[in-house]
Amino acid sequence: MKKIFALCLASVMLMGTLAGCSSSSDSSSTTTEAATTTTTAAATTEETLLVGVAMPTKDLQRWVQDGENMQAELEAAGYTVDLQYAANDIPTQVSQIQNMIANGAGALVIASIDGSALGTVMAEAEEAGIPVIAYDRLIMDSAAVTYYATFDNWDVGVKQGEYLVEALGLATATEPVNMEFITGDPGDNNINFFFDGAISVLQEYIDSGIIQTPSGQTEKTAVATANWATDEAQSRFETILSSYYSDGTQLDAVLASNDSTALGVANALAANYTGTYPIITGQDCDIANVPNLVSGLQAMSVFKDTRDLAAATVDMVTAIMEGSEPPVNDTATYDNGTGIIPSYLCEPIACDLNNIEEVLIDSGYYTADQVGLN
């Protein structure tokens, strides 16, 4: 009996030990599962709050400002921001966007280097279900583009054209004026809106012969500037001046689509032109050009407040993240080859000496010292 009792007691103790082991194992498994669930939830939240922002270059001031404004606005709204600049190199921008997709971005904001060169990576974004906001430059031929945030780019050109008509007195002119043209990178779809908007105002004067172009360079392909580069613009205009104006022919005006090209024109004039200084247009109110606006070396620039565009884009991102409809105010203008892209257009403002203080200083965009008015 004693042996039987001892065997039973040993069996009970062994069962208890096994039960204890089983309980410990279950508890450990449950804890691990809970930890995994928590980690997964945290990762999902982090991914959902990540916004990828792809900018083309730091070479132009406006893109630096756009990127900084965008990052500040998005971070203030609670998002993690992956802001990348691609040094105007398309493969670099593609790689940057691919990394944003791989890192689980909940939305992409892309200012493309070439709006027609992102087809493959846009397909990857679409496959991953990531909404894409084309920023300022429309991405072409891709159904992955969900929305477009930009300024009214046609109106930019219209404002430049209207300024030239008034400044040159074209409405009542009886004698011809000499005007040259320069626009931006042929891979930037915006040049079509800038240039065509201006020509829509100037065309009647071109047709009547009031506007003449001694160089004969009037088509967009002939007046384009790779990467909107100042040195490229300067080189082209040095050739134009030496070829068509060295005999004393008066250059009355230059329709320059933006400030970096306008700066190139001004540099070429400073080195190669002795006639009456022409009227030069521009766009962006870059800090490098503002002294020229103040001194009269550049007549006007179209101001595009990137703070407004950043704020509008953040509103669109927030709506996308929350599953609601982003704010848009144009559903008719911008067709990227796959259909009309719903867009939010900010308003540009013509800026010259008459309103430079109000537009650039009173708004807090620049200080008086930066503008050179102190």
Side-chain angles (χ1 to χ4, degrees), residues 111-345:
S112 61
I113 296 168
D114 184 335
S116 300
L118 297 179
T120 301
V121 73
M122 287 298 92
E124 294 174 17
E126 186 175 22
E127 185 177 354
I130 302 173
V132 175
I133 299 173
Y135 185 87
D136 201 59
R137 294 175 172 178
L138 186 58
I139 299 170
M140 304 302 293
D141 302 316
S142 173
V145 181
T146 318
Y147 297 98
Y148 183 32
T150 188
F151 287 87
D152 189 335
N153 294 319
W154 177 272
D155 193 39
V156 169
V158 167
K159 282 177 165 42
Q160 292 169 340
E162 290 175 342
Y163 190 93
L164 288 169
V165 168
E166 182 176 353
L168 294 167
L170 297 185
T172 58
T174 57
E175 297 295 324
V177 298
N178 291 327
M179 184 181 299
E180 298 290 340
F181 303 89
I182 186 164
T183 189
D185 191 275
D188 183 350
N189 185 58
N190 285 345
I191 71 168
N192 298 309
F193 293 96
F194 299 148
F195 192 77
D196 293 350
I199 295 301
S200 73
V201 176
L202 300 175
Q203 190 65 58
E204 63 176 291
Y205 305 104
I206 295 171
D207 293 342
S208 69
I210 290 295
I211 293 177
Q212 297 184 357
T213 305
S215 73
Q217 299 173 16
T218 58
E219 298 298 320
K220 272 180 287 189
T221 53
V223 304
T225 308
N227 295 323
W228 299 88
T230 296
D231 57 349
E232 293 282 344
Q234 180 175 343
S235 177
R236 175 171 166 257
F237 259 79
E238 285 173 348
T239 301
I240 287 174
L241 292 172
S242 64
S243 300
Y244 303 100
Y245 295 91
S246 60
D247 61 355
T249 299
Q250 171 66 33
L251 175 61
D252 296 296
V254 179
L255 171 67
S257 287
N258 86 322
D259 280 355
S260 60
T261 56
L263 189 59
V265 172
N267 292 344
L269 288 166
N272 300 277
Y273 184 73
T274 57
T276 303
Y277 203 83
I279 295 167
I280 304 175
T281 66
Q283 174 190 178
D284 294 328
C285 289
D286 284 346
I287 195 62
N289 294 68
V290 172
N292 284 355
L293 286 172
V294 173
S295 67
L297 295 180
Q298 182 174 323
M300 66 87 72
S301 184
V302 179
F303 178 55
K304 302 192 308 188
D305 194 333
T306 56
R307 296 170 299 184
D308 293 342
L309 186 56
T313 305
V314 170
D315 288 343
M316 297 177 90
V317 169
T318 299
I320 287 171
M321 293 294 206
E322 294 177 350
S324 58
E325 288 296 318
V328 297
N329 56 15
D330 185 291
T331 56
T333 304
Y334 294 93
D335 188 337
N336 79 337
T338 65
I340 298 294
I341 306 300
S343 306
Y344 190 92
L345 310 182

Side-chain angles (χ1 to χ4, degrees), residues 23-35:
S23 175
S24 175
S25 175
D26 289 346
S27 175
S28 175
S29 175
T30 302
T31 301
T32 301
E33 183 178 347

Side-chain angles (χ1 to χ4, degrees), residues 10-29:
S11 298
V12 170
M13 290 176 67
L14 178 60
M15 290 175 64
T17 301
L18 290 173
C21 290
S22 175
S23 175
S24 175
S25 175
D26 289 346
S27 175
S28 175
S29 175

